[in-house]
Amino acid sequence: MSEQSAQPEYRIEDLAHHSGATVRTIRAYQDRGLLPRPERRGRSNVYGDAHLARLRQIADLLDRGYTLASIKELLEAWDTGRGLGGVLGLVAEVHGPWTDEEADRISRAELDARFGGTPDEDAIREAVALGVLEPLPGRETEEYLVPSPQELAVAAELYAAGVPLAAITGHLRELRDQVEHIASRFLEFTTEYVFARYLEHRPPTDADAAEAATMVRRLRPLAQQTVDAELARAMRLLATRHLQIHLAPDVHHAKDDEPRPVALPAGTVRAVQSLVGPDQVAAFVAAATERELHKRTLDTLTSSVPIVD
């Protein structure tokens, strides 16, 4: 930093140190137009606080999941005077917590005690991979952050009831895929009917972004409320059927490779009959089920491929 100027000045190495970016990254941002060119002083390039603030801004947006192309659009809007405050407010609203649940901490000793008292390294690794546990480095004793204490409590109850840990984590992976599909559909639905009008400009104006942030706050609880209500309805319906099947005196339990009957609502059966005829209902349902299974498999595979900016 220069001691001769009232404003701080940095060489590129100093800027990298203060911003946390590498020298190579700073030069790449300059080449892509994300960072203004430095001032030339003789044979040296000089950077200022504006460059440092811009680097921190880019890092924050990257942490929130924005691509470099999107960040460039936002920063260009800021530089042309269209404002960025409303957009960053919308980003913060979407990126904020979607639940009132607060994270907790748990020691390794407490964790082992809740799950039978015997250390299980494979289970710990799986829980960390799923994000159920996050290691806290620099501790005298092994300790973890628990983003969702409720989720961990459910796992502990299932384990106490006799469900193996491998089965619990496998079920969570399956459930997560299905819930992410529901969340994606909810976002598509609300974007089409609610948020499309706020996103006509890229990036949106400050006023539109602020109004959209207000709508996010209003709609935030609706997804969980809807899922809670539908899950309660489905559990009540299916649990009753499940109990009836297991309590029936003369139930024939099909082997794994035998067809099994599935109860469908009468309205669904009538709709299928009108499409394919009474004799083809079973074949149609089987084909539709296979198609959905293939679609979900493809969705899972494509969602696991990283997007390269």
Side-chain angles (χ1 to χ4, degrees):
M1 292 176 59
S2 170
E3 298 178 355
Q4 302 173 343
S5 174
Q7 296 296 325
E9 295 180 350
Y10 309 92
R11 297 175 304 165
I12 193 168
E13 293 82 5
D14 300 324
L15 186 64
H17 171 73
H18 286 282
S19 67
T22 65
V23 170
R24 182 178 179 181
T25 297
I26 293 173
R27 288 179 173 144
Y29 287 168
Q30 287 176 185
D31 292 341
R32 298 189 65 154
L34 290 162
L35 192 69
R37 292 285 177 180
E39 183 180 346
R40 191 74 176 175
R41 297 271 184 85
R43 300 177 63 181
S44 301
N45 290 324
V46 177
Y47 298 83
D49 271 349
H51 294 91
L52 181 60
R54 176 58 58 89
L55 286 171
R56 288 171 175 168
Q57 210 168 43
I58 293 171
D60 179 62
L61 290 169
L62 286 172
D63 286 343
R64 296 177 188 273
Y66 280 74
T67 65
L68 288 177
S70 298
I71 292 173
K72 184 177 181 181
E73 287 187 6
L74 292 172
L75 296 177
E76 285 175 349
W78 173 269
D79 291 338
T80 55
R82 280 189 284 159
L84 190 58
V87 172
L88 292 179
L90 175 59
V91 170
E93 192 66 46
V94 172
H95 194 260
W98 286 74
T99 176
D100 294 332
E101 187 178 16
E102 295 184 2
D104 199 358
R105 295 181 181 184
I106 190 170
S107 69
R108 177 58 187 270
E110 293 171 323
L111 193 61
D112 290 342
R114 293 184 69 175
F115 289 89
T118 302
D120 189 331
E121 300 301 328
D122 290 338
I124 293 292
R125 281 193 292 270
E126 184 74 357
V128 170
L130 286 167
V132 177
L133 299 174
E134 296 179 7
L136 292 173
R139 307 281 167 168
E140 292 183 4
T141 59
E142 193 172 351
E143 192 174 355
Y144 296 90
L145 178 72
V146 184
S148 174
Q150 292 180 5
E151 192 169 53
L152 186 64
V154 169
E157 288 293 336
L158 290 173
Y159 181 80
V163 182
L165 284 173
I168 293 172
T169 54
H171 175 73
L172 177 57
R173 287 187 183 278
E174 180 182 353
L175 179 64
R176 185 168 291 180
D177 287 342
Q178 294 169 349
V179 171
E180 287 178 358
H181 176 73
I182 293 171
S184 176
R185 292 293 298 119
F186 186 83
L187 289 172
E188 291 170 2
F189 173 80
T190 53
T191 297
E192 179 180 358
Y193 292 101
V194 179
F195 292 106
R197 60 181 177 270
Y198 301 117
L199 305 175
E200 293 175 350
H201 305 95
R202 288 176 58 88
T205 64
D206 269 5
D208 282 346
E211 191 171 348
T214 300
M215 291 300 298
V216 170
R217 284 192 293 274
R218 289 177 54 190
L219 298 180
R220 187 192 301 269
L222 297 187
Q224 184 170 347
Q225 291 171 4
T226 303
V227 171
D228 286 347
E230 284 301 308
L231 180 60
R233 182 199 65 80
M235 287 297 294
R236 183 174 62 252
L237 176 66
L238 297 180
T240 300
R241 291 179 182 172
H242 195 71
L243 187 62
Q244 289 172 346
I245 291 173
H246 284 273
L247 293 182
D250 297 319
V251 174
H252 169 68
H253 295 284
K255 297 179 181 179
D256 289 341
D257 58 349
E258 291 181 357
R260 301 187 183 188
V262 177
L264 294 175
T268 301
V269 175
R270 287 194 296 271
V272 174
Q273 285 178 341
S274 66
L275 286 173
V276 299
D279 297 336
Q280 300 297 326
V281 171
F284 181 89
V285 171
T289 303
E290 287 295 326
R291 180 179 178 181
E292 178 66 17
L293 289 173
H294 285 308
K295 178 181 179 300
R296 293 194 180 189
T297 300
L298 290 173
D299 288 346
T300 301
L301 291 172
T302 55
S303 65
S304 65
V305 177
I307 298 175
V308 179
D309 179 48

